[in-house]
Every structure is written in structure tokens, then in C-alpha cells.
Amino acid sequence: MTAIEKPRQGFWGLWNISFGFFGIQIGFALQNSNMSRVFQTLGASMDDLPALWVAAPLTGLIVQPIIGYLSDRTWNRLGRRRPYFLTGAIFAAISLFVMPLSPAMAAPLFFAAAMLWVLDASLNVSMEPFRAFVGDMLNTDQHSAGYAVQTAFIGAGAVVGSIFPYFLEQIGVSNVAADGGIPDTVRWSFWFGAAALFVAVMWTVVTTREYSPEEQAAFGNAELPETGQPLRALAAKSYLSCLLWVVAGTAVFLLVQILDLEKEMLLLGGLLCLYGVLSAVAISMAKKGQAANMLSSIVGDFSGMPEVMKRLALVQFFSWSALFIMWINTTPVVTQYVFGSSNTTSAAYNEGANWVNVLFTVYNGVAAIAALALLPWMSRKFGQVMTHSICLSLGAIGFLMFFLVRDAQTLLVAEIGIGIAWASILAMPYAILASNLPQAKLGIYMGLFNIFIVVPQLLVATVMGQIMLWLFPGEPVWTMLFAAASWIIAAIAMLRVSAALDRRKAG
């Protein structure tokens, strides 16, 4: 039977498909722009921040491939992806609501770190299926438009989340609290974010209808993901690669002890060893013909990624290394070098911390505009690959300005370049993937692609602090130079994606 085309979505269809991401990004923005401030307020030192932040990427590393695998195989009254949207939104809203209550707990810093873990896990449960949802609902020729609208909502949600503490201060809400307390501007922003996130996700749940497995089959998409080829390839693998992962993890453990490195690096060694062990288990299952299990499917799909995805993975690695450096270090850099204070109880520090919210608002606002106005024009003129490379280069210039500039207003210019790069990071790789991956496996592949977002964040959280202690103790501004270099490398790596796309078309 000849496959039929999915109905084209108009403006409101594209709006409804991605509106939930508006609320999810409010949650991420509040987390990214305020958690370093919350941790420092509760007594954490600069050197403690990477370890406290490690919860966020670690949860994404675990959660997204699992949710991607499960959502590819889910179908119930709510649909395929929407059950995960709703579940994640409920728990994320609860986490945002209780986070400001940390000072009243017996162990405030531990409680805040635990809530960050729950919040990020919940946001990832909601976010991961949204990436695949665009591919589920749209034809290939609408993928770019779908991810552009999604990026616009991401930018708009981040603007709202980032600016809200500053807005509250302007209308008279207190921005300074007693030592160890969370200011009312932050407290009320988190409570607002909890409500906004839940309402936005519910909008998408209520206003969209997912295509059933039978309808997807009529569109030419397999009812269930094809698992045979990846599992056959996995069964043919030797255990040598598993051993090498374990050896690498063990080497990290030894280096931490011998060189007296930061203890957070033990997490990196543990993850390497764990992946080696899980790979060995998955290979053993595949060799025994035990195909119907999540572990073998995830490991098999990871080891058998399409070439386009492998090359984009390198780009994502360096792209997100820079972003995580920015989220951790912008507050310390701006407060220390531009506003002249590292004392969390001082008015200067809190003024600088609020200015970081303004800066984050600008780059997210630029991203929202660029997604709808600039990126489509650039894609038509230069192609998706070159567009992404150019945008990453503009972002690198923005980071260089943070390294060189000491004027608060001038840093707004730096955020324009960063915002353009951010828009492209959120749109271009996903548009390329959605058009070049098997439709029935979009969930698992999008979840696996997230590994190359999470791993660099884990490396930044575990290694960057050690590098800074060795080379630039007490001087966080140097992190911005590392961020600029990361985006330059990503821009160069992006050029390699063209060859993979050309080979795929030729094949």
C-alpha cells in the first residue's frame, strides 16, 4: 500500500505541538540562572559549585535514553509522548515549589542539591519526548519549521524565567535576604515557574492528538522500532571494548589518588566503569538471543549510530561544554569582575546576580527572534550545516567579550552572538537528525543524542574545577576563554557533517 502524507500543520498546530516547551524552559532558565546563587547563598564556595551542579547532567544521562526507548514503545489513552510530558511536568512543578524552602531544612545545601536532582530529572522526562514529538507530528519538509517554533518557545520561556527575579525587584520585592536566606525575588520566581510550567505542558497535552501506531504505519513509519540489525551488530562485538571502558575508569580512580585530584572526578571514573560493565551485559544478552530488553536495545543503538549522528555528536559535545561553563560561571564572573563583589550578602553581589538574569534574558530573547527570523534565511542562503558553523563562531566572539570586557552594558552586545548560537544549537542539529533518522526510532535516537549534551557537562563539572585550581585559582573569568575555544572547535567540526549528508543522499 502506498504511504500517505501526514497532514500539514498550520500556525496553531505548530504552536500547540511545542507550547509545552515554553513552560519547560521557564524551569530550566530559573535553574540555570539562579542555582549557583542559591548554592552560594546557602554556604557553598566557588570550588563547590561544579560538584553541586553535577546532578543536572547526570540525571539527563540516565533519564533521556530510557524515556526515549520507552516512549517509542508506548501507546495508551494519552498517546505516545504525552504521558511523559505530563508526568515530568508534575514532578518538576513540585520541585520548583519546594526549592525555596531549603533554608528551613535541617541540611539546607544538601536539600537544595537533592531538589536540583529531582527537578532536572523531571524536566528531562518532559523534554526528551518533545524532541521526537516534532518528528512524529510533521512531515520531513516541516521539520525545520517545527524545530524553529520549538526554539522560539524555548527562547521565550527562558526570557520569562531569566527576567522574572529582576522584574520582581523592579516592582519592589526584596532582592536581599539575611545571611543564609533566599531572597524573595528568587523565592517567588520559583513559585511562579512551577505554575507556568504545569499550565504550558497541559496546554500541549490537551490541544494535540497523537497519531496512533496504525496511522504511523499508514504514513510509511514502522509500528515498532526495528531492532534486528543493531542487536545483530551488538552480538558480533567482542568484549575488548568493554574492558577498555573499565580500564579507563580505573585509570581515573588511580589518577585521583596519585595526583590528589578533586573527588568529583571519581564520578567520571565510575561512569566509565559502569558503561563498560553494562556493555558487557548487553553484548552477552545479544549473543544469547535475548533481544527484547531495554539495555541491549539502548547499547546496540548507541554503538550503531548513523554516520550523520556520529558527526553531529562531536559538534554537540563542544557546543554544550561551553554552555555549561557559561551557566556555572557567569554569576561568579559578572559579580566579581564587573560589580566587584564575591560577598553573597552584599548589595553589589546581588545587583550583579540580577544583572546575570538580564544577560540571560537577552541571549534567550535573541534566540527566540533568531529562530524565526534569522535562521530560516541563513539556512536558505548557506544551508543548515554552514549556518550552524557561522552561528557557533558568533557565539565564540560573545564569550571572548566576557573575557575582555568589564562594563555591564557592553556585555549585552556579547549576548547577541551567544543568543544566535543558542538558537542554532536548539534547532539545526535536531532538524538535520529528524530528517535523516528512522521515524520509528526517533525517541531512542534523540535520547542517545542527549548523551553528547550530558557528557561534556559532566566533564565540565568534574574536570573544570580541577583545571581552574591548577591554573587560575580564584579567577573564574578564564573559564570564558575555554568556552570560546569550545565553540570554535564545534564550528569547525560542523563542517564535517556535510560529507556524511552527501554520502547518505548518494546512497
Side-chain angles (χ1 to χ4, degrees), residues 181-205:
I182 296 176
D184 286 344
T185 51
V186 176
R187 186 188 306 270
W188 284 101
S189 293
F190 274 65
W191 291 341
F192 160 79
L197 186 154
F198 182 75
V199 170
V201 171
M202 279 301 297
W203 179 281
T204 291
V205 171

Side-chain angles (χ1 to χ4, degrees), residues 5 18 47 68 119 125 130 137 171 230 264 266 331 352 367 373 448 478:
E5 287 194 354
S18 291
D47 295 335
L119 172 62
V125 169
F130 262 103
M137 301 296 290
I171 63 174
E264 293 82 22
L266 293 173
T331 294
L448 291 171
W478 286 90

Side-chain angles (χ1 to χ4, degrees), residues 248-384:
T250 304
V252 172
F253 289 142
L254 293 174
L255 287 173
V256 170
Q257 298 300 318
I258 294 171
L259 301 179
D260 194 26
L261 303 179
E262 292 294 295
K263 300 306 180 186
E264 293 82 22
M265 292 188 67
L266 293 173
L267 175 63
L268 178 61
L271 288 172
L272 294 173
C273 289
L274 179 61
Y275 181 73
V277 171
L278 292 178
S279 295
V281 173
I283 291 173
S284 176
M285 289 180 173
K287 288 180 180 295
K288 295 175 182 177
Q290 298 175 9
N293 68 87
M294 180 168 61
L295 178 61
S296 294
S297 294
I298 291 175
V299 174
D301 286 328
F302 181 72
S303 61
M305 287 186 298
E307 183 66 22
V308 171
M309 186 172 167
K310 290 179 181 178
R311 298 198 175 196
L312 277 171
L314 183 63
V315 178
Q316 288 293 87
F317 179 91
F318 286 103
S319 298
W320 283 84
S321 294
L323 288 166
F324 204 59
I325 289 172
M326 176 182 72
W327 290 329
I328 291 177
N329 294 286
T330 300
T331 294
V333 168
V334 171
T335 54
Q336 180 174 331
Y337 293 91
V338 180
F339 287 81
S341 177
S342 299
N343 181 359
T344 60
T345 63
S346 69
Y349 174 90
N350 283 284
E351 183 182 358
N354 262 13
W355 188 249
V356 171
N357 284 317
V358 175
L359 294 174
F360 281 19
T361 298
V362 170
Y363 91 74
N364 283 297
V366 169
I369 296 170
L372 296 178
L374 182 62
L375 293 185
W377 173 80
M378 290 183 68
S379 295
R380 290 192 299 269
K381 187 172 180 64
F382 304 112
Q384 291 175 324

Side-chain angles (χ1 to χ4, degrees), residues 78-155:
L78 269 181
R80 188 184 193 189
R81 316 292 183 186
R82 290 182 301 169
Y84 301 94
F85 301 165
L86 183 57
T87 301
I90 291 171
F91 284 97
I94 292 172
S95 302
L96 283 168
F97 184 80
V98 301
M99 182 78 75
L101 306 179
S102 298
M105 301 299 164
L109 189 57
F110 175 81
F111 183 83
M115 284 301 97
L116 174 61
W117 195 298
V118 175
L119 172 62
D120 205 83
S122 303
L123 290 173
N124 274 285
V125 169
S126 282
M127 180 183 72
E128 197 286 332
F130 262 103
R131 297 295 192 192
F133 192 49
V134 173
D136 289 346
M137 301 296 290
L138 301 177
N139 273 324
T140 300
D141 63 351
Q142 281 199 297
H143 283 165
S144 292
Y147 286 107
V149 171
Q150 191 174 91
T151 299
F153 276 127
I154 292 172

